[in-house]
Amino acid sequence: MGKILLTGGMGFIGSHTAVELLEGGYDVLIVDDLSNSEASVLDRVETITGKRPGFVQADVADAGKMEKIFSENAIDAVIHFAGFKAVGESVAKPLEYYRNNLDSTLTLLETMKKHDCRTIIFSSSATVYGDNSPAPFAEDAPTGNCTNPYGWTKYMIEQILKGLSLAAPKMFIGILRYFNPIGAHPSGLIGEKPNGIPNNLLPYVTQTAAGIREKLSIFGNDYPTKDGTGVRDFIHVVDLAKGHVATLKYAEKGACGVEIFNLGTGVGYSVLDIVNTFERVNGVKVPHVFAPRRPGDIAECYSNPTRANTILGWKTAKTLDDMCRDAWNWQQKGSRA
């Protein structure tokens, strides 16, 4: 078994996947430009697992650096996390999102082709479903009609990968459509640490509970949902990380072609469900106010995860209580270091 290359592996989901791979006996090499992560993650991953992943600081869009990585290492498979990921920022900076997310993917794929690396697992997103059909979304639901440039980059990369598969049928291309990853490693050593004001719900909840933010703004309380707030499929990041390992193991059995899997719980929780559960589990208050809906947000988005359950033998194990408890533990313990 050669190395598993994690692009963007120092980030929130990448670092948790590195932990699961190392604990599963894999040899892990991370490439990350540290534009939205910190070098201290390496130490934290080593503390959790007792093993230190290899690390190269580089931009995945840099063809020379990627060539060097592949020339110096026997890379068996790539898990591609690298990319800009904030929906709101993508609306304000569309060119930067298209340039970064597409360039990094194309450079990576060209380098993989040159070195005959035939397995890639791609971090896609439920945003590719857009607002085309009602939840729950199965993998064969219509995609496209995305509501923001971030979602369009994911959709475009999926099209690139599908086209590549037709030209390279011996490749295994796993497309994992994430729903809403939250929580943190139970150790409290790694978690989501956004730069500046958080884009995602849970870091905003934890920072508000910690007094870093004055209050949580809940965008929209007039959706056609049980309590008027948006409904999402929140998945514990450790369960999500295990989904990548399950996909890799599936590839190792000789699978080829494109396989698309939803990684979610299949349960929709509202924003108020999250706030109320967080307050109950952790015994803290989260001051909140209602604000107008954000453009691009849809009322409900949750998965049908049956395909991943059946084919990969993967199921989520963590509860909403676990997600809220681990997120608060990270906020108190790890995020301030």
Side-chain angles (χ1 to χ4, degrees):
M1 167 59 67
K3 286 187 172 72
I4 311 301
L5 180 67
L6 306 189
T7 71
M10 302 286 270
F12 177 43
I13 299 166
S15 60
H16 286 81
T17 303
V19 165
E20 296 302 322
L21 288 167
L22 289 165
E23 290 184 337
Y26 288 94
D27 188 3
V28 174
L29 176 62
I30 292 171
V31 56
D32 197 304
D33 66 1
L34 300 181
S35 62
N36 196 29
S37 55
E38 297 177 355
S40 63
V41 168
L42 278 180
D43 298 329
R44 292 162 180 244
V45 168
E46 185 177 18
T47 300
I48 293 167
T49 64
K51 301 170 188 171
R52 191 173 185 85
F55 172 62
V56 177
Q57 184 173 346
D59 182 343
V60 180
D62 185 327
K65 296 237 177 105
M66 295 307 293
E67 172 61 31
K68 190 169 190 288
I69 288 168
F70 275 80
S71 295
E72 293 177 355
N73 299 275
I75 307 291
D76 264 4
V78 178
I79 306 181
H80 182 33
F81 298 105
F84 293 159
K85 62 176 187 177
V87 168
E89 185 182 59
S90 79
V91 176
K93 298 180 176 180
L95 295 180
E96 288 89 337
Y97 269 68
Y98 288 119
R99 171 67 72 190
N100 181 74
N101 292 6
L102 296 175
D103 270 10
S104 57
T105 303
L106 290 166
T107 300
L108 172 65
L109 292 172
E110 286 166 351
T111 313
M112 288 178 66
K113 180 183 176 185
K114 186 174 176 183
H115 291 269
D116 198 30
C117 179
R118 298 184 184 180
T119 298
I120 183 167
I121 297 168
F122 171 58
S123 298
S124 193
S125 165
T127 54
V128 300
Y129 294 118
D131 53 6
N132 289 306
S133 52
F137 297 112
E139 289 84 354
D140 58 359
T143 57
N145 201 26
C146 302
T147 54
N148 54 75
Y150 162 76
W152 276 117
T153 67
K154 295 296 188 185
Y155 175 83
M156 289 173 180
I157 292 167
E158 287 197 7
Q159 304 314 305
I160 290 166
L161 290 169
K162 289 173 183 175
L164 176 61
S165 178
L166 293 174
K170 291 181 179 176
M171 282 190 77
F172 173 79
I173 297 171
I175 294 174
L176 304 184
R177 292 177 181 159
Y178 305 162
F179 280 72
N180 291 69
I182 62 172
H185 194 270
S187 66
L189 288 171
I190 54 173
E192 188 171 10
K193 191 173 185 180
N195 288 335
I197 298 171
N199 292 292
N200 296 329
L201 176 63
L202 245 286
Y204 218 112
V205 168
T206 60
Q207 290 186 11
T208 304
I212 297 166
R213 308 281 164 200
E214 183 187 352
K215 58 184 179 287
L216 169 72
S217 292
I218 297 175
F219 298 105
N221 63 343
D222 57 350
Y223 285 108
T225 58
K226 63 178 182 178
D227 57 24
T229 64
V231 168
R232 297 292 181 268
D233 187 337
F234 294 95
I235 173 173
H236 197 294
V237 65
V238 171
D239 279 335
L240 187 74
K242 290 177 188 292
H244 295 75
V245 181
T247 308
L248 187 59
K249 289 189 181 301
Y250 177 69
E252 288 169 352
K253 293 176 184 171
C256 53
V258 176
E259 294 281 4
I260 302 173
F261 299 104
N262 285 333
L263 295 187
T265 64
V267 179
Y269 295 107
S270 74
V271 176
L272 280 179
D273 284 337
I274 295 285
V275 171
N276 294 336
T277 302
F278 189 92
E279 290 184 334
R280 173 179 57 77
V281 167
N282 297 311
V284 292
K285 282 290 173 195
V286 181
H288 57 274
V289 294
F290 293 106
R293 296 185 188 186
R294 286 183 303 193
D297 279 350
I298 59 176
E300 290 190 303
C301 179
Y302 58 96
S303 70
N304 175 347
T306 304
R307 196 162 192 278
N309 299 163
T310 307
I311 295 174
L312 300 179
W314 168 88
K315 280 195 170 86
T316 58
K318 306 266 190 184
T319 65
L320 193 59
D321 283 23
D322 295 327
M323 300 178 212
C324 291
R325 187 182 302 110
D326 289 342
W328 183 232
N329 181 42
W330 157 247
Q331 176 66 46
Q332 292 181 294
K333 190 173 181 178
S335 70
R336 299 178 183 184

